[in-house]
């Protein structure tokens, strides 16, 4: 029996002798490699923080002292040491722990995470709370150099330097975000000058794989602090697993692999991902449009801009985890005639809401927003779902908002956006696209025009993006029950195709909208506004995500649980338009709280 | 005739000899003081940048070279030198220029402004565009030390240090935001270390009231630059007008004044402002609730937290222009049992949308958001209206959203928010409150409950916040026409009072919502969603702001132009429910594009 098994909580760790901690670190690293090889996931970050996780829980009295991890990709060791060792084998599954930090999951997760750059702000609030209450509680933020490129990290350090609360910040330099880190600070490496200029004490650099030295430094950070302090440590992402150390970018997240050889499981074949389809379409559009440049906020791989950059190396900008700057930088380029494409996940674009309104839409500048990971994202859970973008964008004047039903429509919508003299947002989901054939050339579509995909008379099913095929399949099911359903690909949320919606509503009397977005304020809500004016006698049923956060799990399960699979849509539609004729088709309990009109 | 009159555009300035520029600066300053004394407004900032404005347009070939002013409060001199001297006397009026920068207003306003911290991002985009096109065009951002506390300024400098595009940044240190500047950088004053740590060249410090020295420095900035450069200059806000120099905080914005004595026109009597009512209520609540702390993002005066701070000096935090950090700092405090109140204008809270969702609502932390300046704000125009907050907040689970109809309801809603175990947003407008009597004690109201203020049978007018008195007055007008209107104070946008709305819709059949917010996705849209489910046969008419940006002007005029005054509401309601019975009451053209169901 290894020593790791005896550690059920950090108190167990703190009872050990310092030399024994080396064994704990060794076993912890082996455990992380074993889990990673078996189930894949985000492990390179956590391999880099093995000693840091052990030392932090050894030196500080957690959970009374507060450790605030930024993002959470590097906190798997923390999970193991705080009673979630078994759970780690099910991480990100519906029956396992979150891939990030969750207050609801453990008293040791004192502040939730998922988006980067929040930890210093939260820790400063916690440190200031302790100061106000006269408590000796310590607050320690652990933030990487990647997350430190987020503006709010600067805002927090600058505020810390002003109020002087004893917040402890561990600045973990590993040279990486997910991709290699960017930014002038990363180039100069002069973290000391940066930190001191903000009025914050600087200590370091400490090699955070040297456990003894690290413990000494942390004991100093615990006992010998009178104001805000940054302790600068260095780690190697993937440390202790050679293939990951050699290529930490590739190993940031992994499929299951063979430990000995580093051989990674091939992902299954099948259609290309939406991301790959986007990157491919964008690359081809850039061939013919010299105005096109692409911008990512530290996600060249996730957004596909790494592939775009292989073909157009001088036309892609990685600005760091800096969505606010990304958008206004794009606006600046647009004023000079360029057509910037901001490729930012739906959930991360939330950071730039003000800039979209103030710098892009108000000036009606032609910036394209490619919002990958819109809708339910599955394993990454509530911090990463893109369930708000329609609501936060559709009230902004001038913006066009569209969503493609397949990768062929995606290339055409990109072409449309690049020709539009207006800001243009395109949302598309995570995962595999449909594998449809691509037209040889991407061509602009008429803005604000949807398409009837199937004629019908009893009810109109209106899909958007990923829900269009759901509507088609639901119509098939309804046909088998003798219900004639029209199917519409709305394609545009803004402007909506009023004519098309009106004629469909007049013809069918009943309209069902289907979306992978919160119902409140979403696509269906926009349809309701329009039909309320155009065809007030029509009835509208809006299917989508109800008013609560959706936990992590398998994306397909989430779709079913939210009633967005074609079976659920067909059943709900049938019960709505013909409640007496349509007995329940199966015995599983239906979902609740549908919004219907 | 002075020399200033001969300058119609910067070319005229560039024809002058250098010594003559001193006269231009002298006359420009006198002109600004004359205008300020006559009409009031934001003048202290621009008095500090008189020489800088003259020198920039003298040295750089504007508009071919691009000057990007941050915020715009300091750009009045720029307006005078670029053909808007006459207009300045009507600044911020509907028939005059904007108080900020607008691309639509002048080719010399190359990038719009209003919110702080955007200029470096925009200028970097413009500089990079010139580099890509091989043009020698210069891009110069002018940003104050206040605006530099915004995280996106850091993001932009850090990116500049990475890509090396020759963006020119003039860092104008005057020690002020609107209030005295905050932040560790402001304390250390070590701008040089900060800038260099980000890989950006640093020059300075130059006294920007020494015109000759400034011109030399700017010529160097024009000609001798190979990468990103920050030129550090110092100015005195209010420079050249002694009372303003002595108290630049007080003189950031002013009423008309007598130049000789510095005597400022008293503002008219009347009810206290919403801001003052908020500050007073909050101060009294803090007397009895030790958990209450208040947070402002560099707006202690605008939010009333300066008054709060007089009574509770150790319970107010000014975090700088750092809304993102403000919200997550509040979340940190809330995890430790405090009840933070973030007092941030509706429009500026847009910056923290992601933090509200990710750090507050997802963790269901009890943070109160006091959103002043919600709705139409009048003279500050489209960058400052608060027309999006309901749309961007109401899709977020867990949040409560409320709005008081008068200052008495405001104090009760604050008490409600402080007792709620959930994030709680309160929106209230700019300007004078109603002058109603205050109950001696603020008491929690039931969450999600509205109130019937007047019984009626033909139509239900549903107001929210500022539109409740409008609904009441409209009901009076309708009564005079024989139409019986129920009046409801919805009070809560989320959760809506479904029972009350249902019974009103069942009783009246017709429901009119009135809001100072975009119709798309707003309060009326939420009512439509609820009634669509609860009383599908009811008809809904949603009055509010249509889908376009609203320019600057007098707030009362804007209300009328948007059809939100009681006369317009009554007329529109009458024509909607009884089109045959209700001839137009006046001959003015009605507004267009109403959304009705």
């Amino acid at each position: 029996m290894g020593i790791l098994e005896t550690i059920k909580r950090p108190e167990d760790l703190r009872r050990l002798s310092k030399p024994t901690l080396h064994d704990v670190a060794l076993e912890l690293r082996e455990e992380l490699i074993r889990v990673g090889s078996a189930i894949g996931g985000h492990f390179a970050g956590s391999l880099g923080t093995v000693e840091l996780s052990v030392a932090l829980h050894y030196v500080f009295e957690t959970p009374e002292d507060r450790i605030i991890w930024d993002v959470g990709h590097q906190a798997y060791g923390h999970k193991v040491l705080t009673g979630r060792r078994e759970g780690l084998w099910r991480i990100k599954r519906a029956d396992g722990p979150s891939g990030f930090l969750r207050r609801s999951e453990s008293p040791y997760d004192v502040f939730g995470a998922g988006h980067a750059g929040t930890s210093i702000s939260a820790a400063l609030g916690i440190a200031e709370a302790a100061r106000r209450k006269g408590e000796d509680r310590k607050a320690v933020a652990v933030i990487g150099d990647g997350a430190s490129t987020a503006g709010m990290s600067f805002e927090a350090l600058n505020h810390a330097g002003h109020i002087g609360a004893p917040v402890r910040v561990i600045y973990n330099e590993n040279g990486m975000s997910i991709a290699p880190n960017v930014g002038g600070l990363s180039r100069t490496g002069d973290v000391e000058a940066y930190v001191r200029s903000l009025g914050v004490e600087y200590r370091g650099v400490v090699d955070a794989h040297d456990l003894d030295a690290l413990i000494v430094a942390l004991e100093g950070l615990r006992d010998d602090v009178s104001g805000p302090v940054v302790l600068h440590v260095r780690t190697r992402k993937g440390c202790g697993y050679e293939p990951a150390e050699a290529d930490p970018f590739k190993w940031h997240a992994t499929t299951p692999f063979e430990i000995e050889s580093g051989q990674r499981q091939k992902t299954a074949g099948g259609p290309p991902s939406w991301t790959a389809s986007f990157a491919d379409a964008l690359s081809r559009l850039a061939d013919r449009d010299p105005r096109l440049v692409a911008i990512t906020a530290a996600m060249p791989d996730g957004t596909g801009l790494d592939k775009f950059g292989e073909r157009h190396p001088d036309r892609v900008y990685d600005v760091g985890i800096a969505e606010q700057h990304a958008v206004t930088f794009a606006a600046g380029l647009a004023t000079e005639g360029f057509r910037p494409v901001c490729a930012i996940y739906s959930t991360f674009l939330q950071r730039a809401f003000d800039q979209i309104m103030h710098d892009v839409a108000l000036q009606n500048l032609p910036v394209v927003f490619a919002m990958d990971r819109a809708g339910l994202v599955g394993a990454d859970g509530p911090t990463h779902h893109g369930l708000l973008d329609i609501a936060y964008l559709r009230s902004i004047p001038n913006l066009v908002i569209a969503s493609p039903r397949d990768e062929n429509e995606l290339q055409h919508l990109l072409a449309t956006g690049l020709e539009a003299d207006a800001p243009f947002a395109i949302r598309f989901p995570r995962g595999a696209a449909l594998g449809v054939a691509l037209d040889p050339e991407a061509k602009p579509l008429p803005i604000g025009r949807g398409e009837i995909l199937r004629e019908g008379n009893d009810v109109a099913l209106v899909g958007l993006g990923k829900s269009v095929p759901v509507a088609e399949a639901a119509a098939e099911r309804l046909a088998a029950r003798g219900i004639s359903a029209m199917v519409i690909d709305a394609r545009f949320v803004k402007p909506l195709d009023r004519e098309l919606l009106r004629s469909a509503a007049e013809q069918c009397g009943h309209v069902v909208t289907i979306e992978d977005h919160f119902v409140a304020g979403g696509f269906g809500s926009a349809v309701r506004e329009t039909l309320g004016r155009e065809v007030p006698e029509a009835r509208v049923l809006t299917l989508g995500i109800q008013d609560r956060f959706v936990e992590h799990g398998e994306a397909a399960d989430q779709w079913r649980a939210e009633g967005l699979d074609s079976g659920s849509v067909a059943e709900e539609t049938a019960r709505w338009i013909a409640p007496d004729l349509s007995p329940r088709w199966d015995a599983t309990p239906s979902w609740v709280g549908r919004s219907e009109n």
Side-chain angles (χ1 to χ4, degrees), chain A residues 467-489:
Chain A
S467 67
V468 173
V470 175
E472 290 183 295
E476 278 297 325
R477 287 169 181 259
L478 289 167
R481 308 285 299 181
I483 296 172
S484 162
M486 179 187 287
V487 175
I488 291 174
D489 174 5

Side-chain angles (χ1 to χ4, degrees), chain A residues 354-561:
Chain A
D354 185 56
Q355 288 73 18
I356 294 171
M357 176 272 182
H358 179 271
D359 298 320
V360 176
L362 176 55
Q363 308 194 94
N364 203 24
L365 294 173
V367 174
V368 174
F369 300 99
M371 302 189 292
D372 200 337
R373 270 62 161 183
L376 294 163
V377 298
D380 280 338
T383 54
H384 282 57
H385 295 310
L387 299 176
L388 289 164
D389 54 76
I390 293 174
Y392 75 72
L393 292 176
R394 79 177 182 87
S395 300
I396 302 176
N398 294 339
L399 261 180
V400 178
I401 311 170
S403 188
R405 69 170 181 263
D406 59 36
E407 58 268 49
N408 193 39
E409 199 167 283
L410 173 59
Q411 70 165 343
H412 296 316
L413 283 176
L414 281 167
T416 313
L418 290 165
E419 293 302 318
D421 281 320
F424 199 100
I426 306 174
R427 78 187 307 257
F428 51 93
R430 185 184 179 117
L434 281 69
V436 303
L438 296 181
D439 296 334
E441 205 177 346
K443 288 185 181 156
L445 300 170
I447 291 175
R449 288 281 164 270
E451 189 182 346
I452 296 177
L453 300 181
R454 178 187 180 119
E455 291 291 348
N457 293 310
D458 297 330
V459 62
L461 304 180
V462 187
L464 177 78
K466 186 172 174 176
S467 67
V468 173
V470 175
E472 290 183 295
E476 278 297 325
R477 287 169 181 259
L478 289 167
R481 308 285 299 181
I483 296 172
S484 162
M486 179 187 287
V487 175
I488 291 174
D489 174 5
R491 196 178 287 149
F492 290 88
V493 177
K494 185 173 185 173
L496 274 175
D497 192 336
R498 291 162 64 160
E499 308 260 320
L500 179 60
L501 287 171
R502 182 175 57 205
S503 70
E506 282 169 351
Q507 184 170 327
C508 302
H510 288 75
V511 174
V512 177
T513 62
I514 314 158
E515 68 191 298
D516 52 341
H517 184 281
F518 285 124
V519 168
F523 166 65
S525 178
V527 170
R528 212 185 266 286
E529 288 173 19
T530 293
L531 287 181
R533 186 175 55 238
E534 303 284 331
V535 194
E537 64 277 12
R539 296 292 166 93
V540 180
L541 172 69
T542 54
L543 303 181
I545 316 298
Q546 299 307 307
D547 188 24
R548 49 176 168 57
F549 290 105
V550 178
E551 295 301 319
H552 61 278
E554 183 62 40
D557 295 341
Q558 291 170 345
W559 269 78
R560 272 189 298 277

Side-chain angles (χ1 to χ4, degrees), chain A residues 95-319:
Chain A
D95 62 346
S98 158
F100 303 97
L101 285 310
R102 294 297 300 275
R103 281 170 59 80
S104 53
E105 189 177 297
S106 163
Y108 296 91
D109 293 1
V110 296
F111 201 85
H115 294 190
T118 64
S119 63
I120 307 177
S121 294
L124 185 63
I126 292 169
E128 177 64 10
R131 194 195 60 73
R132 293 196 74 88
K133 295 197 277 188
E135 293 172 350
D136 189 35
R137 180 191 308 292
K138 278 85 175 171
V140 186
V142 186
I143 185 167
D145 49 350
S148 297
T149 61
M152 71 178 295
S153 297
F154 160 80
E155 292 177 350
L157 268 188
N158 195 34
H159 187 216
H162 186 82
I163 63 172
V167 65
R168 290 141 165 104
V169 177
I170 295 176
Y171 180 92
N172 175 21
E173 182 186 338
N174 63 17
M176 304 290 290
S177 284
I178 292 175
N181 201 10
V182 300
L185 181 58
S186 169
R187 291 215 158 174
T188 69
D190 200 351
V191 179
E192 177 166 1
Y194 170 66
V195 167
R196 286 194 200 281
S197 75
L198 303 182
V200 174
E201 185 188 337
Y202 171 89
R203 298 178 188 178
V205 183
V206 174
D207 173 358
H209 300 303
D210 178 343
L211 192 53
D212 297 319
L214 182 61
I215 287 174
V216 170
L218 290 182
E219 285 169 345
L221 192 69
R222 180 188 63 199
D223 300 329
D224 182 24
V225 160
S226 59
V229 186
V230 167
L231 174 65
H232 183 175
V233 306
R234 282 218 184 91
T235 63
R236 295 189 304 283
K237 205 165 168 175
C239 177
Y241 184 61
E242 207 177 305
E245 278 195 65
D247 191 349
F249 182 19
K250 181 175 148 193
W251 284 81
H252 171 75
T254 179
T255 50
F257 57 93
E258 193 185 87
I259 296 176
E260 198 73 1
S261 64
Q263 192 75 38
R264 293 159 72 157
Q265 223 173 70
K266 290 268 186 300
T267 43
S273 67
W274 281 97
T275 305
S277 303
F278 161 71
D280 182 53
L282 198 70
S283 298
R284 283 182 287 110
L285 285 161
D287 290 342
R288 69 184 205 212
D289 188 344
R291 306 169 307 167
L292 194 165
V293 293
I295 299 169
T296 173
M299 306 286 283
D301 54 334
T303 58
L305 290 195
D306 52 351
K307 296 281 177 253
F308 174 88
E310 286 169 12
R311 185 133 143 200
H312 301 287
D314 63 335
R315 288 163 75 178
V316 58
Y317 298 93
D318 180 352
V319 303

